[in-house]
Amino acid sequence: MAPADAMWLGAAWVGLCAGLSWLDIQLAYVGIFSLVFLAVRTLLVPALSTAFAADYRDGKGLLATTESKLLWCNTAVSLVHSCLSSALSLAVLAVVPIHDWVHSCTFMATLCLSLSTGYFIYDFYDMVVGDLHRRAVGILLHHIMVTICYVLSIYYRVGVPYLVVMLLLEINSICLHLRKLMAMVGFTLTDRVYVVVWQALWLTFYTTRMLLTAGVHFAVFLDRAHFPETFQFATAFTGLTVLHVLNYLVYQGCTKAYRKETAYLKKL
C-alpha cells in the first residue's frame, strides 16, 4: 500500500477508536488494546524474531521475501492475541458466575471482549497496509463482522457471556497460528512436535469451531425472547450463522494444507 493510503487508513483507525470512546467510555479499552497490539507488532515481534528465528534474521527459506516476513509478523501477533484472549476468556468463565447469559455484563468480561475487538481493528489495518488481505479476504470479513457484534454487545451490555464463550475458539487459533509459523521455518510432518500441533489443531477445531459454536448458536436461539431488542438477537444469530461458513472455509484451508504436506511426506 502506498504511504499516503496507509496514512489515511491509519487516520480512519484512530478516528474509529476515538469515536468508540466517545460513544461509551468502556469502548475506550478497544482503542487502548488496538494500540497495544500495534506496539507488539512494531517493537516486540521483529526483535524476538530476529533473535530467535534464524530464517527471519537471515532472510532464508520461506522467509526470504518482504511479504513473507510481513506475514510472519502478522501471524506472530495473531498468536499472541489467541493466547491472551483464550486465557482471559477461560479466566472469566472460571471466576465470574453467570446467572443470565443475555444480560450479565461484568468488567472482566467487557475487558475480554475489548481485547479481541482492539486486536481485530489492529489486524484489519495491518493486513491491508501489508497487502496481506489479497489472499485472505475472508479474514477481513470475519474481522468486520466480529467487531460489529462485539461493539454492539459492549455498548448495549447484551449477550456478553455468549461472546466470551465464543472466544474459546481462539484455543484452536493458537494451533492454527503456531502451525503456520512452524511451517514457515521449515517444520514438516517428519518432526514429531509438528505432528502433535496438527493433531491438537484438528482436536480443537472439532470441539470449539464445530461443537461449541453449534451449542452457542442453539442457546442463543433458545434465549431469543430475552434479548431486549429484536435486532440484537438478529445480529447475534446472523453473526453465528456467518461464523459457521467461515469455520468451514478454515476447515477447507486446513484440509488442503494437510493433504499437501502429507503428499510431500510420501515423496520423501
Side-chain angles (χ1 to χ4, degrees):
M1 174 177 282
D5 294 332
M7 183 181 68
W8 281 111
L9 185 60
W13 175 12
V14 173
L16 173 61
C17 293
L20 291 176
S21 301
W22 174 82
L23 190 65
D24 189 323
I25 191 61
Q26 288 202 73
L27 289 171
Y29 289 106
V30 172
I32 293 172
F33 282 122
S34 187
L35 293 175
V36 168
F37 282 110
L38 177 63
V40 171
R41 164 65 181 86
T42 306
L43 304 175
L44 189 61
V45 169
L48 291 177
S49 298
T50 300
F52 297 105
D55 284 359
Y56 179 91
R57 179 178 60 250
D58 301 330
K60 296 180 178 179
L62 296 178
L63 293 172
T65 65
T66 300
E67 182 182 3
S68 62
K69 286 188 174 183
L70 289 174
L71 179 60
W72 167 275
C73 290
N74 179 270
T75 306
V77 177
S78 297
L79 178 60
V80 172
H81 162 256
S82 295
C83 292
L84 291 175
S85 62
S86 58
L88 188 55
S89 61
L90 284 171
V92 171
L93 294 172
V95 174
V96 181
I98 301 173
H99 304 293
D100 187 334
W101 284 86
V102 175
H103 298 98
S104 177
C105 182
T106 64
F107 175 74
M108 280 188 65
T110 300
L111 201 65
C112 185
L113 298 190
S114 298
L115 172 75
S116 288
T117 308
Y119 162 75
F120 292 132
I121 294 174
Y122 146 78
D123 196 50
F124 186 98
Y125 170 82
D126 190 57
M127 290 187 69
V128 174
V129 169
D131 286 328
L132 302 174
H133 64 290
R134 301 182 188 279
R135 295 184 299 176
V137 177
I139 295 179
L140 294 187
L141 295 176
H142 166 270
H143 287 1
I144 293 172
M145 179 197 73
V146 173
T147 297
I148 292 173
C149 290
Y150 280 30
V151 167
L152 289 175
S153 181
I154 295 171
Y155 180 72
Y156 288 106
R157 276 75 166 171
V158 171
V160 171
Y162 281 126
L163 292 181
V164 172
V165 171
M166 291 307 298
L167 283 177
L168 294 178
L169 271 66
E170 293 298 331
I171 296 174
N172 175 248
S173 295
I174 292 174
C175 300
L176 289 170
H177 300 318
L178 182 59
R179 185 211 69 81
K180 189 172 185 178
L181 291 172
M182 293 176 71
M184 293 180 76
V185 292
F187 281 87
T188 68
L189 290 174
T190 59
D191 300 295
R192 178 58 185 169
V193 64
Y194 189 66
V195 173
V196 171
V197 171
W198 260 117
Q199 292 172 340
L201 187 155
W202 290 122
L203 176 63
T204 55
F205 181 92
Y206 291 125
T207 53
T208 62
R209 292 189 181 273
M210 291 187 66
L211 295 178
L212 183 63
T213 304
V216 172
H217 205 171
F218 184 63
V220 167
F221 176 76
L222 293 179
D223 259 342
R224 62 191 182 280
H226 297 151
F227 283 81
E229 301 291 342
T230 302
F231 84 89
Q232 293 168 350
F233 163 72
T235 300
F237 193 81
T238 303
L240 286 165
T241 302
V242 174
L243 187 59
H244 287 300
V245 177
L246 295 175
N247 284 340
Y248 176 71
L249 295 178
V250 172
Y251 174 78
Q252 282 189 316
C254 290
T255 301
K256 182 179 179 181
Y258 188 73
R259 287 175 178 171
K260 182 178 179 180
E261 294 187 19
T262 302
Y264 173 77
L265 182 64
K266 291 179 179 179
K267 293 179 181 179
L268 296 179

